[in-house]
Amino acid sequence: MKIAVLFVGEVHDRGFNQCALEGVKRMQATGTAEIEIISGVSYHPDAMIEALEAATARADGVLFVGGQGNSVTPQVAASYPDRRFAVVQGNVIGANLASYDVLQEQSGFLAGVAAARLTESGVVGHLSGHRVAPGLKGRAAFASGLRHVDETIRLVTGFCDTQDCNETTQIWAGAIADSGADILFTMLNGARDGAIEACRANGMRQIGNATDWCAVDAAVFVASAVARIDLGVERAVTHLLAGRCPDQIEYLGLAQGAVELTCAPDVPEAVREEVVATARLISNGQLDVDTVYEGPEFELET
């Protein structure tokens, strides 16, 4: 069987895409299918549809990695009823289309709890790129985690429309720092280096996402909202190979060991304990995580 896996942007981004890639490589290693990796797809509807249709022409199953696929995969899947499709970080389903969602909002909420305890200025930032469902839910959850601890904290939040341009994210992160933020939660792919440089220049600590950025640079990263996108990829590919198409979205979160919040060594033990206790409440269904944000948004002055 032939499976095609599509990525928007650079696949070796040390973040979301690379985490997903690890799952693809593990499935390739099983030898149960011929798996093609298609990277560098542009975040534009026509480009994504063209890539999907080209992949469909030479594969039995197609997996789109990222919430960007929600807007285009359903129409392609409907045009090819004899093929199977899946979206990781998806919220779309159909007769031949499945979605798998690693609950980044759960680790995002924990990031909000930690940021609320660690901020000294009372101003916290958030920066993401594309306005896709996982990023929007992650932002809303982060804001919810802040409010859970302290409703007086001001959130400076924005989407810069790119996951891969470091020049853009450096400018945006610097502007957020200028707004008074001393902690910045980022949901970025290849464009994280720009945010890192802005954090270094402004003495702002960062909370990363997807992979454990505390293990990469604990001087910059005070925490990281880990999300095992690779587990979602493994589940999706396994079902594509088996010809299974779940009729509802499959979720992987704290209860499945798919998300967590890691902390840098200098985070106080009391904060760590609060994060663990909060994670337990979410996992047990005793604490709801908001996935809709209706507050103000930061706009970069031009």
Side-chain angles (χ1 to χ4, degrees):
M1 186 173 180
K2 294 183 179 180
I3 303 291
V5 185
L6 278 73
F7 291 85
V8 170
E10 170 59 42
V11 71
H12 295 289
D13 62 359
R14 297 182 298 159
F16 178 93
N17 281 351
Q18 192 155 334
C19 181
L21 180 64
E22 292 174 4
V24 176
K25 289 183 174 180
R26 287 200 296 271
M27 295 306 298
Q28 284 179 322
T30 66
T32 54
E34 179 182 334
I35 301 178
E36 177 187 8
I37 297 171
I38 302 167
S39 64
V41 178
S42 174
Y43 180 51
H44 185 279
D46 291 343
M48 292 189 291
I49 290 173
E50 181 180 353
L52 275 168
E53 290 182 336
T56 302
R58 57 181 184 267
D60 304 294
V62 180
L63 169 60
F64 199 116
V65 176
Q68 297 91 337
N70 288 320
S71 63
V72 293
T73 309
Q75 67 184 82
V76 177
S79 299
Y80 296 89
D82 60 333
R83 300 289 199 273
R84 293 190 288 275
F85 297 82
V87 179
V88 169
Q89 300 313 91
N91 60 7
V92 289
I93 56 174
N96 62 335
L97 171 60
S99 281
Y100 305 82
D101 189 4
V102 178
L103 298 175
Q104 293 176 278
E105 59 265 32
Q106 291 186 343
S107 52
F109 186 97
L110 299 177
V113 170
R117 292 300 185 196
L118 296 171
T119 180
E120 296 180 359
S121 68
V123 182
V124 170
H126 156 270
L127 179 63
S128 191
H130 299 154
R131 287 181 178 272
V132 295
L136 291 167
K137 291 194 297 181
R139 188 264 297 274
F142 179 68
S144 180
L146 290 173
R147 293 194 306 271
H148 178 73
V149 174
D150 186 348
E151 293 186 353
T152 69
I153 291 174
R154 182 164 69 93
L155 174 61
V156 181
T157 169
F159 284 77
C160 62
D161 295 325
T162 177
Q163 295 290 133
D164 299 292
C165 178
N166 284 293
E167 181 180 0
T168 298
T169 55
Q170 185 170 2
I171 293 170
W172 274 75
I176 290 173
D178 289 342
S179 297
D182 59 352
I183 295 177
L184 175 67
F185 174 48
T186 54
M187 296 184 73
L188 299 166
N189 293 353
R192 187 176 301 279
D193 284 343
I196 290 173
E197 289 307 310
C199 285
R200 288 198 180 108
N202 292 278
M204 181 170 57
R205 298 293 293 277
Q206 188 172 162
I207 298 178
N209 83 302
T211 59
D212 183 6
W213 284 93
C214 295
V216 177
D217 189 345
V220 170
F221 290 89
V222 71
S224 195
V226 173
R228 296 287 306 278
I229 310 301
D230 56 314
L231 299 182
V233 168
E234 286 187 333
R235 184 76 63 92
V237 173
T238 298
H239 287 174
L240 286 171
L241 291 173
R244 180 184 173 192
C245 187
D247 58 4
Q248 58 185 5
I249 300 170
E250 292 212 357
Y251 298 102
L252 296 86
L254 286 164
Q256 292 76 32
V259 299
E260 64 174 323
L261 186 80
T262 59
C263 296
D266 60 333
V267 172
E269 186 62 30
V271 176
R272 295 170 183 271
E273 291 175 355
E274 183 172 3
V275 166
V276 170
T278 305
R280 188 178 302 114
L281 291 175
I282 295 172
S283 182
N284 293 338
Q286 297 173 274
L287 179 60
D288 292 330
V289 174
D290 289 343
T291 55
V292 177
Y293 175 77
E294 297 178 337
E297 293 214 17
F298 175 75
E299 295 184 6
L300 189 68
E301 294 184 6
T302 56

